[in-house]
């Protein structure tokens, strides 16, 4: 091949490479343009517990963007009126989400109005992705009662912090098992713990350890209700929580005692964290 022909061939190859590279750029750009927003499930579930218990329409920090995405999706399914699309996961949004769960064929605890991993992913199909997913895990037997694996692991860590075993008097998933519990044990994440043999200081230390790992926990006395001394603990953000337990968790975040009188919290003061936040600390 003579020099002019070689130069022409090199020029043609360079031109082809340039054109090929240019033709590959748009798909990459298009993929970026189609990136979906994300819903932080941890923050959204937290809002679904706290916001319904607020006196006003204040927002749960870090949850607004995700809650808005969920509310818009519910609105577009004609499950939530537009006036309630405000980033506040209040009673209207909880009820709308429960209707959505039922539309998927869910019943019982699977339609409790708290976003679950599967239902949230289905709601977001083509609209948003889901990050920081959480779930209660399978039901297991521990200490003679039924809990889920998330609750079991939380209890084990609280025992490690406390340096002693905890005796469970009542577990989770026990609908109607104890009329004095007002339905809090009907779902997951809730246990009653014996304080037999504990001093006042030890029972308070136990409640503190439970709070540190992500429970809303209180030492209950006979003066507060028709029950003996015990510790009542509800796992924050357990997506199997009964509606009554959801309300207790929301009140705990708002500095209340988790009882019907909604008096100030009488338990040990700790930084409030979920189990997942505790593990990342």
């Amino acid at each position: 091949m003579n020099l002019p022909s070689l130069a022409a061939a090199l020029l043609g190859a360079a031109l082809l490479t340039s054109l090929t590279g240019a033709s590959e750029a748009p798909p990459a750009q298009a993929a970026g343009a189609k990136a979906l927003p994300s819903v932080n499930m941890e923050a959204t579930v937290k809002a679904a517990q706290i916001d319904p218990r607020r006196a006003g329409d204040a927002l749960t920090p870090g949850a607004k963007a995700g809650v808005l995405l969920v509310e818009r999706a519910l609105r577009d399914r004609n499950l939530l009126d537009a006036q309630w699309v405000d980033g506040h996961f209040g009673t209207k949004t909880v009820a709308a989400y429960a209707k959505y769960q039922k539309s998927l064929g869910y019943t019982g605890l699977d339609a409790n109005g708290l976003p679950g991993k599967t239902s949230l992913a289905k709601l977001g199909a083509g609209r948003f992705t889901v990050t920081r997913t959480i779930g209660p895990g399978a039901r297991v037997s521990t200490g003679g009662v039924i809990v889920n694996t998330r609750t079991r692991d939380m209890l084990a860590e609280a025992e490690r912090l406390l340096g002693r075993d905890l005796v469970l008097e009542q577990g989770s998933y026990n609908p109607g098992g104890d009329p004095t519990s007002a339905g809090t044990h009907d779902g997951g994440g809730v246990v009653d713990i014996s304080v037999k043999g504990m001093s006042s200081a030890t029972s308070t230390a136990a409640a503190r350890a439970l709070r540190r790992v992500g429970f809303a926990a209180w030492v209950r006395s006979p003066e507060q209700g028709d029950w003996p001394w015990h510790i009542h603990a509800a796992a924050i953000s357990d997506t199997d929580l009964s509606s009554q337990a959801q309300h207790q968790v929301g009140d705990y975040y708002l500095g209340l005692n988790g009882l019907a009188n909604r008096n100030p919290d009488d338990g040990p003061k700790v930084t409030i964290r979920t189990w997942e936040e505790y593990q990342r600390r």
Side-chain angles (χ1 to χ4, degrees):
M1 179 181 294
N2 58 31
L3 289 177
S5 299
L6 178 60
L10 292 172
L11 180 60
L15 181 59
L16 179 61
T17 300
S18 175
L19 289 173
T20 301
S23 67
E24 292 175 351
Q29 294 169 357
K34 292 180 180 177
L36 297 174
S38 63
V39 168
N40 181 325
M41 184 178 174
E42 283 186 31
T44 302
V45 170
K46 189 185 293 185
Q49 297 161 96
I50 305 170
D51 291 354
R53 305 300 286 173
R54 298 183 189 278
D57 57 0
L59 307 181
T60 294
K64 180 180 179 179
V67 172
L68 279 171
L69 288 168
V70 169
E71 289 177 328
R72 288 167 185 157
L74 293 171
R75 175 201 61 196
D76 292 349
R77 290 174 177 264
N78 297 316
L79 296 170
L80 183 67
D81 289 343
Q83 64 176 311
W84 306 116
V85 180
D86 55 6
H88 174 86
F89 208 121
T91 56
K92 297 291 186 181
T93 305
V94 170
Y97 201 93
K99 288 181 181 178
Y100 166 65
Q101 290 169 320
K102 290 174 183 175
S103 76
L104 297 176
Y106 297 153
T107 59
L109 294 174
D110 292 329
N112 63 0
L114 285 184
K117 196 161 41 174
T118 302
S119 64
L120 193 57
K122 288 182 177 180
L123 183 66
R127 303 181 66 112
F128 57 77
T129 59
V130 181
T131 62
R132 291 200 183 278
T133 59
I134 53 177
R139 299 184 191 187
V140 295
S141 176
T142 185
V145 302
I146 300 298
V147 297
N148 57 50
T149 55
R150 183 176 184 266
T151 302
R152 179 198 62 193
D153 293 347
M154 294 170 66
L155 288 168
E157 178 60 9
E159 289 176 330
R160 187 190 71 81
L161 293 176
L162 186 62
R164 63 180 292 163
D165 292 340
L166 297 172
V167 177
L168 303 182
E169 293 183 331
Q170 186 177 181
S172 309
Y173 307 106
N174 186 26
D178 180 1
T180 67
S181 69
T184 56
H185 291 264
D186 288 5
V190 180
V191 294
D192 283 348
I193 297 166
S194 172
V195 296
K196 185 177 181 179
M198 290 187 186
S199 66
S200 175
T202 301
S203 61
T204 298
R208 181 179 294 107
L210 289 160
R211 288 184 170 201
R212 285 180 60 189
V213 303
F215 286 100
W218 298 272
V219 178
R220 299 299 197 204
S221 72
E223 288 75 26
Q224 294 173 315
D226 184 21
W227 49 61
W229 283 94
H230 68 282
I231 297 173
H232 178 76
I236 301 168
S237 292
D238 186 309
T239 54
D240 274 354
L241 289 173
S242 68
S243 59
Q244 297 89 337
Q246 293 175 38
H247 294 164
Q248 284 191 323
V249 169
D251 282 356
Y252 174 61
Y253 267 102
L254 298 176
L256 304 175
N257 64 2
L259 294 172
N261 58 30
R262 304 194 78 191
N263 282 340
D265 182 18
D266 57 2
K269 304 305 179 186
V270 303
T271 299
I272 300 179
R273 294 188 178 97
T274 66
W275 171 236
E276 290 74 24
E277 290 167 339
Y278 172 81
Q279 291 176 296
R280 292 195 298 268
R281 75 198 188 288

